[in-house]
Amino acid sequence: MPVSTEIQVRVAHADVVMNMAFQRSLEYWQRGEKESDPWLQRAGDSGAIFLEEKQALIIEGDCLHQVSAPEGGTIIVCGNLYSTLDVNGFSEIIITGDVRPDGYIRADNFCHAFIGGRLEGTLQSAGSTKAWIDSDFSGVLKTGSPSARIHVGGDYTGRIIPHEQPSSLFLNVAGFAANESLYRIMEYYPNHVNASIAVSDVPPGLYPLEESHRRNERGYCFTRWSVQQQR
């Protein structure tokens, strides 16, 4: 079950927007496998999988069992994620389908994740996070430090919270996000939030309207979001 050209193009777009977030996967699709850098291929129902140092893995079909990568690596799931991906080190993860409600991506370091469908489960990163969710986001995303960049291609009805300490948060929602949900994010990330919201339940403009919420004690503005259209 090879990754479709459509998905590859969408990942390439996300890679450019997020500044080389999915370089290893794109290189594999463009140039093929290197003898010095072999890719493992496993069926999604073949049982638990353990990866050696920085290995690359393609899972054919839905991922139904735990995958462990204690040294990091690249994982491509050609389907939905129903289980847990446990990764350490630097990780690059492509899910062509949904992260289902029981699906869990747990990264103990930097994590770059592309989700081609919906995020209904949980994505947790202890380090810098680049997450591209191509459809709706109704699950949970726990961000690491020092920064998180998140794109939501559909509607945002989920939760974004810090894994440990608040980080700088950059959020783009191409669908709908209630203004109240942005205030909830601001409570978790009081120092630095920048968000662009395509559609919300308030008039177009720059928020929050209360100027004190957007400025620190020195008068600088670090928390703001823009709304393009009211529904």
Side-chain angles (χ1 to χ4, degrees):
M1 184 189 298
V3 175
S4 68
T5 301
E6 177 190 358
I7 290 289
Q8 293 182 31
V9 170
R10 286 156 59 188
V11 173
H13 171 65
D15 177 76
V16 171
V17 173
M18 290 198 158
N19 191 22
M20 302 180 72
F22 309 106
Q23 188 176 10
R24 193 176 185 190
S25 299
L26 289 168
E27 183 178 5
Y28 170 73
W29 291 329
Q30 285 187 311
R31 298 181 174 85
E33 185 178 45
K34 298 179 181 178
E35 291 186 8
S36 60
D37 186 22
W39 285 63
L40 302 177
Q41 297 198 27
R42 297 287 187 272
D45 58 356
S46 61
I49 300 171
F50 182 88
L51 298 182
E52 302 292 342
E53 182 178 0
K54 297 181 181 179
Q55 280 187 307
L57 169 69
I58 298 175
I59 296 178
E60 302 286 354
D62 295 339
C63 183
L64 306 178
H65 301 281
Q66 181 170 341
V67 178
S68 299
E71 301 298 329
T74 302
I75 300 171
I76 299 176
V77 177
C78 301
N80 301 317
L81 177 65
Y82 288 88
S83 59
T84 298
L85 304 183
D86 260 321
V87 294
N88 205 334
F90 174 81
S91 58
E92 180 179 317
I93 297 169
I94 308 289
I95 311 291
T96 65
D98 301 330
V99 175
R100 303 295 288 166
D102 290 336
Y104 203 120
I105 300 171
R106 183 184 295 111
D108 287 336
N109 209 313
F110 288 15
C111 179
H112 296 178
F114 175 93
I115 299 169
R118 300 182 298 271
L119 175 59
E120 301 172 318
T122 302
L123 193 164
Q124 172 185 309
S125 175
S128 285
T129 311
K130 292 183 179 181
W132 186 282
I133 303 156
D134 224 21
S135 186
D136 297 335
F137 175 179
S138 59
V140 178
L141 202 160
K142 301 179 181 180
T143 65
S145 181
S147 66
R149 295 184 178 274
I150 303 166
H151 169 86
V152 181
D155 295 339
Y156 169 74
T157 57
R159 296 176 65 210
I160 299 174
I161 58 177
H163 171 51
E164 292 179 346
Q165 298 297 322
S167 62
S168 297
L169 176 64
F170 303 88
L171 172 66
N172 179 70
V173 178
F176 175 84
N179 202 50
E180 181 183 352
S181 69
L182 279 302
Y183 274 96
R184 287 198 297 268
I185 290 175
M186 186 178 66
E187 292 176 0
Y188 286 109
Y189 300 85
N191 296 322
H192 197 158
V193 176
N194 278 278
S196 175
I197 310 300
V199 184
S200 190
D201 49 3
V202 292
L206 184 65
Y207 292 86
L209 294 176
E210 303 87 351
E211 188 171 324
S212 60
H213 288 181
R214 291 193 281 121
R215 298 185 182 277
N216 64 11
E217 62 277 5
R218 296 185 178 181
Y220 297 123
C221 175
F222 290 112
T223 298
R224 58 185 181 172
W225 60 89
S226 65
V227 172
Q228 306 302 314
Q229 181 181 345
Q230 183 176 16
R231 186 168 75 180

